Structures are given as C-alpha cells and as structure tokens.
Amino acid sequence: MIWNENAECMSRDKMRELQGIRLKRTVEKVYQNCVPYRQQMTEKGITPNDIKSIEDIAKLPFTSKKDLRDNYPFGLLCCQMSNVVRIHASSGTTGKPIVVGYTRNDLNIWNEVGARCFSAYGINRNDTVQVSYGYGLFTGGLGAHSAVETFGGTVIPISSGNTEKQIMLMHDLKTTALACTPSYALYLAEALEQSPYNRKEFKLKTGVFGAEPWTEGMRKELEDKLQIKAYDIYGLTEIIGPGVGHECRCQNGTHICEDHFYPEIVDPETGNPLPEGQTGELVFSTITKSGMPLLRFRTRDLTKLNYKKCDCGRTSVRMEKILGRCDDMLIIRGVNVFPSQIETVICEIPELEPHYLITVDRETNNLDTFEVKVEVKENHYCDEMGKMLELKKHIAHKLQNVLGILPNLKLVEPKSIQRSQGKAKRVVDNRKLK
Ligand code: DLL
C-alpha cells in the first residue's frame, strides 16, 4: 500500500527539481539563522546564490557529529526556542549527548514519513501495533507511536522491557504488528516460546525492526521464530528518527523519503562523492525541516544506493541494508572485520543460536586477540568433547573463510549471553581502554 502516491512515485526529473527548490530554501534558512553554518559557508566562499539546483549540493560544507557536539545543545537551531515543541537526544559513547529540537512542522513531516513506512509494510487502521521501542529521549518509541496514530492504527505504547507482560498483552490485546529492535524481537521470540501460550493463539503477523544493523540471516531467524514477515525501518535522531527510510513488500532495498531527506554516498576517508552502486558513507541533507535543518550530515553508516524504479511502483531511491557503521569496523591484526559478517556466518549454521559477542583485546606484546562467543542450540549442546570440537572446527573454518582471520571461537550454553531490550551490544573492544 502506498500512503502518498504523489510523493512516493514522482518521476525522477520532478523529484530532482523539487529537491533543488527545497535545498535552496533550506540553505537560505540556515545561512540567515544559524551562525556556525554561515561561518562555514563563508569559509568555503559560497552564499545561498550559488545553490541553483540539487547538483550544487557538493559545494556545501559537511556537518559531522562533532559539529553537533561543539554546538551543544542548541547552537545549530534555526528557529526561536518558542517554536520548538519536542526535544530528542541520541546518546553518544562519551560525554554529552547530541540534542535535536523539532518544530510542529518537523513533527508533521515525521508523522508523514512514519505513516509511509507502516503503509509500505501493509499495516493499516485495522492493525494493533505494539510499540516496544524505548520511549523517552530515544526517538524509537514516540516516533513509531505517532506514525501509527497518523494512519489510524491502534497503538500499544508499552515501551521496551518487562518481557513477560509484553507477551501477555501481545496475546490478550491481539497485537498484529510488533515494532522494536531486531535484538529485542529475538529476546521476545524466546520468551514467547517459553510462555504458557501457544503461537497459534497470537495474531502477530508483521515486525517493524530497526535502530541497529541486522543481516538477512537475522531476518530469517526472526521470521521463522516469530512466524511473521519482518521489515526494516531506518532512521536517526539528527535527521528525524525512525521514518527516514523503509522497506516495501518487494524487500529489495530500503526506500528513502527523499523528498524530505536528500541522500548522498561519499568516500568515508576523503568525503568525495561516489557514483551510484558504490558502497560508502551515507550523507543526508534535510530539505524541509525548520527546527534544526542539517546540510550534508555524515551518518557514519555504510551502504550503497540504487535509483531504479522498484516493482512496488515507488520511484524513490533505495539503499541496501546497512553494512555497519564506519566506527563499527574493527581492525584486528590489520584485517577489517564487520560484526555483520560474523552475524551472517552464524545465522547460516543450523546448530547455532543468533546470539553472539565479539571481544577484542591487546596483549602485552601488542598482538590483538579476537574472541567470538556464540550460543549453541539446546538440542546440539552436549557434553561429548569430540562432537563439540568437531562443530567448533567447522564454524571457525567458515569464519576464517569470510573474515580472512581466525577468531578464538567459544561455543557456549544456550541463554548464557546477555539479551538486549534496546540496541544490542555485540562488540567489546578493550583495546580502546589501553
Ligand atoms: O535508532 C532511530 C530509529 C528508531 C530507527 C527506531 C529505526 C527504528 P539513533 O538512536 O539516533 O536513531 O541511531 C541512529 O542507528 O545512524 C544507524 O547506525 C542505526 N540504525 C538505525 N536504523 C537502522 C537500520 C535511531 N534499520 C543509528 N539498520 C543510525 C541499520 C540502523 N542501522
């Protein structure tokens, strides 16, 4: 189902024209209202008059997370504080969070793109959506909540945690769609299996999962375990929250709501724009926001773009599943390793549960150590040394083939790795502390 056919199925030419007009307006707004942007543009020797079409975007300066931190909390705001109706924040690993102010107009845009997402998954006003993303400064809970209200579905604002109650209400209130992180969905799937209920007594049919990278292998695990169709939803606090992009029934990439958020792919090292189809860092410019519009924001997320029309009828650009974040890439003994590569291997091995933890450390002789802990399924976990060793050899070999480096593999008992209720923490890099 398409929520806004005009916007989602617009011809490419019309879309670029519209993006050009909106970009120009946004550049004028930040130049007039935001000192740090005006300074950066002056340093680059440009004024809003230099932006005539969307092609001119490459002339503009980038915005990084550091710029947001340096101007904490409201230095990049483009409106009067009295026009800000909501504040969200994304927690960084260190120091102050990144704070974003939204105007009424921004929330309207958010509701619009949020409704597009749920409609694309086939969710409508007859559905009951359990929102198990955290409510609060994190955008997941309130973002999904308002989207459901916008298209007229029934929302259960349960937030994350309290897993037994989640299962009880999912059963009693006849939840048809579950919105949460894929890792929490996995946790709920386990809890459901152990609950006194039978899966047949539930009405659940759709999952709306995002806020962290997850692989196709994880999608299959979730679809099998929960007996649902699982869809990806993408977003980030700085741009709007959940709703920047969504899958459709074709599940052949994530459509970006590009009439509001203009995407580019750049080389993460040099910042040079990369041609269509090449993997690089995703960069967004908001072209309709009024609270804290951002120009060329470096997301640190790695993906590639595809501008071909989708079989669902939408013409909007699609991005591939996020490979990971530039910052997530581990360099272990000189080899680049993404956690998503490890997840893909683990999900392909039938004896394993999709629960894993990667620990990297540095020994006194400066050599990196690389450990992967993974849970073995109940019916495959046994005391027979020989059998476990054979399984371990098989998995280690597969990981080495994909990664080019052999991890110290630890097969552990089912349910021994900590479960997550929000974004999963899959990597412990102790080298950073040394
Ligand atoms: O995670 C917003 C969100 C909430 C998206 C609920 C989807 C659902 P932040 O906390 O600011 O915002 O984190 C943004 O999370 O840059 C990505 O690295 C990652 N991320 C978000 N969605 C996906 C996804 C929310 N579908 C950061 N796949 C982003 C992979 C995702 N990574």
Side-chain angles (χ1 to χ4, degrees):
M1 210 179 92
I2 293 174
W3 173 259
N4 182 341
E5 198 166 339
N6 268 347
E8 296 174 73
C9 306
M10 191 181 290
S11 78
R12 294 292 329 154
D13 285 347
K14 258 194 138 173
M15 177 63 81
R16 287 190 76 73
E17 197 189 322
L18 179 70
Q19 288 167 331
I21 295 167
R22 291 182 167 178
L23 176 71
K24 192 168 169 51
R25 246 185 251 151
T26 302
V27 171
E28 277 159 9
K29 190 193 299 272
V30 298
Y31 190 81
Q32 276 157 22
N33 299 298
C34 179
V35 175
Y37 267 126
R38 189 163 53 243
Q39 270 169 357
Q40 280 206 34
M41 285 175 63
T42 307
E43 274 164 30
K44 281 199 136 217
I46 51 170
T47 70
N49 287 336
D50 294 305
I51 307 301
K52 299 195 166 59
S53 70
I54 196 69
E55 275 74 37
D56 294 323
I57 196 159
K59 296 178 182 165
L60 293 166
F62 285 117
T63 312
S64 66
K65 278 189 188 284
K66 184 173 179 303
D67 293 318
L68 282 147
R69 285 211 179 88
D70 290 349
N71 292 289
Y72 174 88
F74 295 124
L76 292 185
L77 212 59
C78 270
C79 66
Q80 298 292 321
M81 199 57 207
S82 55
N83 289 328
V84 171
V85 296
R86 172 104 64 85
I87 289 166
H88 280 284
S90 84
S91 50
T93 37
T94 48
K96 303 267 191 199
I98 281 168
V99 172
V100 180
Y102 304 76
T103 60
R104 168 66 50 207
N105 175 59
D106 295 340
L107 294 191
N108 290 343
I109 293 166
W110 195 359
N111 290 343
E112 157 72 22
V113 294
R116 287 186 200 175
C117 297
F118 282 81
S119 302
Y121 312 141
I123 298 173
N124 59 40
R125 50 181 303 119
N126 299 318
D127 279 287
T128 299
V129 185
Q130 186 156 334
V131 177
S132 309
Y133 285 113
Y135 279 63
L137 287 173
F138 173 56
T139 53
L142 280 167
H145 180 113
S146 307
V148 177
E149 285 187 348
T150 302
F151 66 79
T154 307
V155 59
I156 306 176
I158 190 164
S159 194
S160 60
N162 214 342
T163 305
E164 267 176 37
K165 193 169 173 189
Q166 298 262 1
I167 301 294
M168 183 186 80
L169 291 184
M170 189 184 285
H171 174 269
D172 297 352
L173 307 185
K174 301 187 172 40
T175 299
T176 57
L178 170 68
C180 64
T181 59
S183 49
Y184 191 44
L186 203 58
Y187 187 0
L188 285 169
E190 275 181 359
L192 198 147
E193 241 169 54
Q194 281 156 20
S195 74
Y197 304 108
N198 184 322
R199 172 62 182 91
K200 289 198 184 78
E201 298 167 34
F202 290 80
K203 298 281 178 231
L204 194 66
K205 53 181 202 275
T206 315
V208 180
F209 303 142
E212 62 186 4
W214 54 305
T215 58
E216 285 301 329
M218 186 63 83
R219 187 198 315 263
K220 198 169 172 315
E221 288 278 350
L222 288 168
E223 291 191 336
D224 290 350
K225 286 200 154 104
L226 284 167
Q227 294 164 44
I228 55 166
K229 192 113 192 75
Y231 290 95
D232 204 345
I233 183 164
Y234 172 83
L236 56 165
T237 317
E238 295 87 344
I239 300 304
I240 200 96
V244 174
H246 59 82
E247 283 182 328
C248 62
R249 63 175 164 78
C250 303
Q251 297 200 308
N252 191 10
T254 294
H255 288 275
I256 293 174
C257 298
E258 55 170 324
D259 50 331
H260 295 287
F261 319 114
Y262 182 78
E264 296 173 85
I265 298 287
V266 304
D267 181 321
E269 299 297 324
T270 63
N272 292 334
L274 291 175
E276 177 181 351
Q278 273 198 34
T279 301
E281 182 181 347
L282 182 62
V283 170
F284 277 113
S285 300
T286 67
I287 51 175
T288 49
K289 274 175 75 182
S290 48
M292 200 184 275
L294 293 181
L295 297 178
R296 306 191 84 202
F297 177 69
R298 305 278 298 249
T299 65
R300 313 300 287 151
D301 291 329
L302 296 168
T303 185
K304 59 180 164 192
L305 298 179
N306 168 6
Y307 286 88
K308 286 186 199 74
K309 184 177 172 181
C310 181
D311 288 343
C312 72
R314 289 178 184 80
T315 50
S316 46
V317 61
R318 280 169 287 162
M319 68 176 190
E320 212 169 66
K321 245 180 172 328
I322 302 282
L323 172 67
R325 299 175 55 79
C326 312
D327 339 311
D328 282 351
M329 190 182 78
L330 294 158
I331 304 180
I332 307 169
R333 286 176 236 146
V335 180
N336 298 350
V337 173
F338 280 103
S340 60
Q341 294 175 297
I342 296 175
E343 184 174 301
T344 299
V345 172
I346 288 172
C347 289
E348 277 169 1
I349 300 174
E351 289 90 347
L352 297 180
E353 290 286 357
H355 293 284
Y356 60 97
L357 184 71
I358 303 160
T359 309
V360 190
D361 210 334
R362 184 157 289 162
E363 290 176 344
T364 36
N365 56 5
N366 264 336
L367 198 71
D368 293 336
T369 60
F370 170 31
E371 180 191 275
V372 177
K373 246 189 214 164
V374 54
E375 287 183 13
V376 178
K377 280 199 178 127
E378 193 94 56
N379 51 342
H380 289 281
Y381 194 80
C382 67
D383 295 336
E384 264 182 69
M385 273 284 259
K387 265 198 178 158
M388 291 307 276
L389 278 175
E390 202 177 303
L391 179 62
K392 187 171 156 176
K393 227 167 99 185
H394 167 66
I395 301 163
H397 178 72
K398 279 207 154 186
L399 283 170
Q400 186 175 25
N401 264 350
V402 171
L403 307 175
I405 178 171
L406 183 68
N408 172 15
L409 183 68
K410 289 210 167 131
L411 298 182
V412 297
E413 273 179 67
K415 309 211 170 49
S416 55
I417 293 174
Q418 199 182 358
R419 303 300 188 245
S420 124
Q421 303 189 342
K423 299 191 190 225
K425 183 160 173 52
R426 308 227 192 255
V427 180
V428 180
D429 192 344
N430 292 321
R431 296 175 302 183
K432 289 185 184 147
L433 306 171
K434 295 186 172 165

